[in-house]
Amino acid sequence: MDPKEIIEQLQLLTQQFVASLQNQSTEQAIRDLQAAYLSKKGKVGELQTSLGQVEPSQRKEVGQAFNKAKQTIVQSVTEAIDGLVKRAEEAYLNAHFDVTLPGRAPAQGHMHPLSIVMYDIVDVFTSMGFDVAQGPEIETDEYNFAKLNFPDDHPARDMQDTLFIEEGKTLLRTHMSPVQIRSMLERPLPVQVVAPGAVFRRDDDPTHSPMFFQIEGLLVDKGIHFGHLKGVLNTFLYQIFGEDVQTRFRPSFFPFTEPSVEVDIQCIYCKGKGCRLCSQTGWIEILGAGMVDPNVLEGVGIDSEMYSGFAFGLGVDRVAMLKYEGITSIKLFYENDPRFLERFRR
Ligand code: FA5
């Protein structure tokens, strides 16, 4: 067979193949078409059988023409399949994504309302020179009660429903006052600290939670008197609730302070007229405080003739419930419902 004729036929077959490729719409159809040309019985395959009849001196040229034709076919197949995949992806994207829709901002976290209030309160005290102190949530009976002047059989222990780990030995701290003891034992005098943290009691109702947060404050130095306590607490209350808030100091009892007081603010909702929130009294209790009992000072090795101090403790949850109107249950702070928490983004 004339080599020229073979080469011309090959070119024709290649052109035919490339033209038919345009009409194929599936990968299988493309593969079938490829087989119809390149398999042994395919159009190119059959033509190749004529290679044996070509003069040996011309076989090289004809052989190269076959290789080139096969390469062209294989390459067009790859391109056609790539094109199919690309078109399928585009069709999927067009059907599933509307690029004209406005974007969705990624969700951003923010501080929990109790953390916000806690930081605000701590800021007020650090601006008055208080240092931040910490202690463990699992405490010893010694630090939670004994060193705070609660004798073993003292009825004051019943004031706080304790969650004991080992009765009489270890417990979940019921208040932040053990940090007073730790601070006086660990720090040089004068001691001036605030201790924020979680405390635990067997309490459970709309205004009492089994876990809640307190901030304790302590100042021990020479010549500290009740006037200092009043000045510091009034400054704190004015900064948190506003300069015009009325405050009231009532005599009270805590085993570790003498004298002891409870501090109220005039109800910020009814301004003292009496409402549901203040149980018609016009006042809301905010914190407990007093002058550190000399027994407590002596118990940690501080000379109570030379040094005196004051301490106070407040419930962070209570302050947060007052600052943010309409929080009817303390539980809302602990349920982590994003619809509630969203209100406190700032
Ligand atoms: C004490 O815990 C004292 N350690 C405070 C203190 C410190 C007094 C230093 C004197 C000197 P009390 O038990 O009253 O006191 O608790 C303090 C505050 O914690 C309360 O005024 C209240 O706001 C809050 N509180 C008490 N129990 C709960 C509870 N179950 N859930 C939420 N808040 C509570």
Side-chain angles (χ1 to χ4, degrees):
M1 202 173 174
D2 180 14
K4 251 193 175 173
E5 211 178 302
I6 297 178
I7 291 171
E8 268 172 24
Q9 233 178 318
L10 252 179
Q11 279 167 352
L12 204 67
L13 283 176
T14 312
Q15 280 164 14
Q16 260 179 18
F17 178 83
V18 173
S20 324
L21 205 52
Q22 310 305 317
N23 305 326
Q24 312 310 315
S25 55
T26 64
E27 186 179 343
Q28 188 57 52
I30 294 171
R31 297 274 178 222
D32 290 347
L33 184 68
Q34 182 184 6
Y37 280 73
L38 291 192
S39 67
K40 266 195 177 159
K41 296 213 162 147
K43 296 182 184 180
V44 177
E46 285 207 326
L47 186 62
Q48 205 164 355
T49 54
S50 55
L51 196 59
Q53 299 154 26
V54 176
E55 281 276 308
S57 61
Q58 291 175 318
R59 268 194 209 148
K60 190 176 171 198
E61 191 194 345
V62 180
Q64 276 171 349
F66 271 102
N67 285 342
K68 199 173 158 221
K70 283 179 190 169
Q71 259 174 22
T72 307
I73 288 175
V74 169
Q75 199 178 328
S76 339
V77 164
T78 310
E79 282 167 12
I81 290 173
D82 284 352
L84 273 187
V85 171
K86 208 166 161 220
R87 280 198 296 283
E89 275 173 5
E90 271 166 15
Y92 177 84
L93 289 178
N94 287 337
H96 291 81
F97 296 101
D98 181 349
V99 290
T100 63
L101 281 177
R104 232 181 273 157
Q108 234 182 352
H110 57 91
M111 274 217 279
H112 190 279
L114 290 178
S115 302
I116 295 173
V117 172
M118 186 115 91
Y119 278 112
D120 285 352
I121 296 173
V122 168
D123 278 353
V124 173
F125 287 111
T126 50
S127 75
M128 287 193 266
F130 286 79
D131 230 13
V132 176
Q134 284 184 325
E137 290 179 1
I138 295 177
E139 257 303 355
T140 58
D141 185 276
E142 174 83 358
Y143 284 179
N144 196 83
F145 291 127
K147 281 204 175 302
L148 285 161
N149 210 25
F150 289 78
D152 278 352
D153 54 352
H154 196 289
R157 280 178 184 250
D158 297 336
M159 282 165 65
Q160 300 171 348
D161 268 327
T162 308
L163 290 155
F164 279 101
I165 292 167
E166 199 182 338
E167 184 101 32
K169 280 198 175 149
T170 45
L171 43 81
L172 291 176
R173 66 183 174 198
T174 58
H175 54 174
M176 289 304 289
S177 302
V179 183
Q180 275 188 40
I181 303 300
R182 290 180 178 277
S183 303
M184 288 189 282
L185 287 171
E186 287 163 14
R187 291 169 184 248
L189 287 162
V191 174
Q192 188 177 4
V193 291
V194 274
V199 300
F200 309 83
R201 293 184 193 179
R202 276 203 276 153
D203 271 347
D204 199 6
D205 67 44
T207 54
H208 292 84
S209 161
M211 186 197 87
F212 60 102
F213 290 86
Q214 282 191 343
I215 293 181
E216 180 94 4
L218 172 73
L219 173 54
V220 180
D221 200 354
K222 287 180 183 155
I224 297 298
H225 55 74
F226 200 86
H228 294 122
L229 169 62
K230 236 180 141 178
V232 164
L233 290 183
N234 274 336
T235 304
F236 154 67
L237 293 169
Y238 297 151
Q239 294 219 20
I240 294 292
F241 293 105
E243 291 287 335
D244 57 342
V245 75
Q246 299 289 312
T247 63
R248 182 173 82 170
F249 289 67
R250 271 185 298 113
S252 184
F253 172 77
F254 295 102
F256 36 92
T257 48
E258 181 57 35
S260 302
V261 287
E262 266 169 324
V263 184
D264 303 334
I265 57 166
Q266 195 176 54
C267 180
I268 48 179
Y269 296 115
C270 66
K271 301 280 176 221
K273 288 193 197 80
C275 67
R276 203 174 55 84
L277 192 90
C278 59
S279 309
Q280 310 304 330
T281 62
W283 295 92
I284 294 170
E285 183 203 314
I286 290 289
L287 52 84
M291 300 306 293
V292 182
D293 194 296
N295 279 346
V296 173
L297 294 176
E298 296 292 339
V300 290
I302 295 175
D303 183 349
S304 64
E305 297 284 325
M306 246 170 43
Y307 285 91
S308 56
F310 66 75
F312 57 87
L314 61 100
V316 178
D317 307 59
R318 216 42 74 74
V319 176
M321 282 173 91
L322 286 173
K323 270 197 77 85
Y324 301 117
E325 213 174 325
I327 300 178
T328 48
S329 168
I330 193 170
K331 305 285 157 54
L332 289 165
F333 290 128
Y334 298 102
E335 283 165 353
N336 279 336
D337 183 335
R339 289 168 301 181
F340 170 74
L341 296 177
E342 190 57 32
R343 214 184 117 185
F344 305 96
R345 187 183 285 282
R346 65 175 180 184

